Amino acid sequence: MEAAIPLGLALPRSSTGICSFSVLLKSSRKPSLSCFGRVLGKPALFPPRAVSEDRADATPQWQLDFLGAGAGSPDPLEEEEEEEGEELLPAEATDWCVRARRSALRSIEARGLAPSLQRMVSTPKKKKKAAAKKKDLKKAAAELKRRKKQLDAALEDEDGDEGEDDDDDEDVVDDLRDMDDLELRVAQFADGMFDEKRQRNREAFVQTLSRFSAAPSNRSKEVSLNRSIVQAQTADEVLALTVEVIADVAKGLSPSPLTPLNIATALHRIAKNMEAVSMMQTHRLAFARQRDMSMLVGLAMVALPECSPQGVSNIAWALSKIGGDLLYLPEMDRIADVAITKVQEFNAQNVANVAGAFASMRQSAPGLFSALAQRAAQILQTFKEQELAQFLWGCASLNECPHPLLDALDAAFQNDARFQCHVSDVTSKMHQEMDRPLNFSRDQIGNIAWSYAVIGQMDRPFFLHIWRTLSQFEEQRVSDQYREDMMFASQVYLANQSLKLEYPNLGLCLRSDLEEKITRAGKSKRFNQKTTSSFQKEVGRLLYSTGHEWVREYAINGYTVDAVLVDEKLAFEIDGPTHFSRNLGIPLGHTAFKRRYITASGWKLVSLSLQEWDELQGEFEQLEYLRRILDIEAE
């Protein structure tokens, strides 16, 4: 048999020899089995070292990498030597490289060249691992960007197509969940560097949009944007224009044309375009819940301190028209705080619009209304008839009595010659000298009369002049075909009844023929249509368990009471959320007036609110509570 040449003696002692051998081992050409099989089958020149039981743990990772052993593979250094003269079997042909590297490794270690081999093995792998990590980061970031674009498109489709199946909503939720998982994985790369950068970009975006007064201005861009907003024909067009500018500012547009004036104008035009097409309330709420619309309202709240009094007024009016009494509760609180600081700069229109906005949204603001009343008294001469009627109506709706304004009105108008009433809606502006009559329309007269009745100030001189002008309507036909007529008739009827009950000494009741005409219109079925809530039905069912004979939907001098005990003259009112301000829970003007009116009619009144009812646990406790409050009031 031909003597085998040990591999260890075949290697030169230079690093060049190591490199040459490494290249040889990595070559894709496979040597003949007749040669290498006999060579690798002979015992190595250097006998194997003793191996302990935990040898795998002691073997350096670079040696395992050199020998081709991955994680979980047996240590090639622990493999037993092949018996002398044994040929490689076909199944073992793939192990020749590992055996050759093992022999080479021992020879290299014996010659003290292990550090050089370690650098050759370890360095390229680290670079490869770093490059792979960077590649994975780029791939994940690209995937995140793609998924976000898909999600934005899905959300836009959802807003535009209300009739889509619920499966689309589930897909959007799944996309959100998947995107959150993807963001979490991306944030874990580079020790959270990606996530931190995203947070910094977001903060920079907010700061860029919030710097309204500090940044330099570009008057031409501001005017151009304002003109485009005003000329937009729909609410969607206004929002699209504004969002486009917001995106440009976020990308670095400077100076920003998105001034507080333009933000206020955008919200005002959105609401105005909704009013122009009489958009349904459900559609307005859906529009308000859009992401872009929420962002615009948020920017308006940031810019509010920098807005002019007209801007504050426009924003308050716009939110009341867009959200009604269902949205923007914290936003209106912020408007109240800012408006108080600017109230001395308000004109008559600002005062009237802010008061009307808070009243229509059932948003109590005692401090603001006190300041508005003071300001209204100071600028009384500048009020138009419509503005005066609107401000008084707003105060009465929230049960806020504007004493300073009432005193100013009593002092300014001393005789009937200053009053003139007509049926048309033509309005005019009061002169500073107060030398011409006021031209109130019919609806304005009705609003003012109702307002004075609600706040309990019907003995005021100004109200006496207003009430006497109602005689001019004797020749006018009050129709029950239009809601405007019914509203006017109802307001005048309640004011007339209040004069009978609370101010009989004034002798200001309407003549019998005119009173009959107004009463007939006010009692129209169309106007008095009443809906019974589930809350009222639930309480009404338990009322019969108290042992009393209740009469439901009982009429008392024009008012309908939920339930009464006729013999005891006990009236029971079930007041839902619409009877109270939505933020403070204070009874609204119409609720307070009804309670006072029924009491003045000689009835004992018990009121139960939804909030009180919700605090009770179970029917037993609810029934006991009803019995307790009814017994107290009936004694």
Side-chain angles (χ1 to χ4, degrees), residues 25 36 91 123 130 300 388 534 584 587 614:
L25 294 180
F36 271 99
T123 304
L388 180 61
S534 58
L584 300 182
D614 286 341

Side-chain angles (χ1 to χ4, degrees), residues 494-515:
L494 292 176
N496 187 61
Q497 292 299 108
S498 181
L499 284 173
K500 283 184 178 182
L501 296 174
E502 298 181 291
Y503 304 93
N505 57 307
L506 297 179
L508 293 177
C509 297
L510 296 176
R511 295 195 314 270
S512 58
D513 55 342
L514 184 57
E515 180 180 353

Side-chain angles (χ1 to χ4, degrees), residues 495-555:
N496 187 61
Q497 292 299 108
S498 181
L499 284 173
K500 283 184 178 182
L501 296 174
E502 298 181 291
Y503 304 93
N505 57 307
L506 297 179
L508 293 177
C509 297
L510 296 176
R511 295 195 314 270
S512 58
D513 55 342
L514 184 57
E515 180 180 353
E516 181 181 357
K517 184 184 296 185
I518 291 178
T519 302
R520 185 169 58 251
K523 290 182 178 180
S524 169
K525 290 183 179 180
R526 288 189 57 195
F527 182 76
N528 287 288
Q529 289 179 354
K530 186 179 176 74
T531 57
T532 303
S533 64
S534 58
F535 168 49
Q536 291 175 321
K537 293 178 180 179
E538 182 182 359
V539 177
R541 180 177 57 82
L542 290 179
L543 277 177
Y544 291 103
S545 302
T546 60
H548 295 68
E549 295 182 0
W550 293 93
V551 179
R552 300 177 61 180
E553 305 296 336
Y554 189 81

Side-chain angles (χ1 to χ4, degrees), residues 563-599:
V564 300
L565 296 177
V566 179
D567 296 337
E568 292 84 356
K569 295 206 73 173
L570 175 64
F572 187 77
E573 272 289 280
I574 306 171
D575 296 331
T578 57
H579 291 266
F580 306 93
S581 64
R582 61 176 186 166
N583 57 330
L584 300 182
I586 300 174
L588 297 176
H590 68 88
T591 301
F593 177 63
K594 182 177 181 179
R595 292 177 178 179
R596 195 178 74 241
Y597 183 91
I598 293 175
T599 302

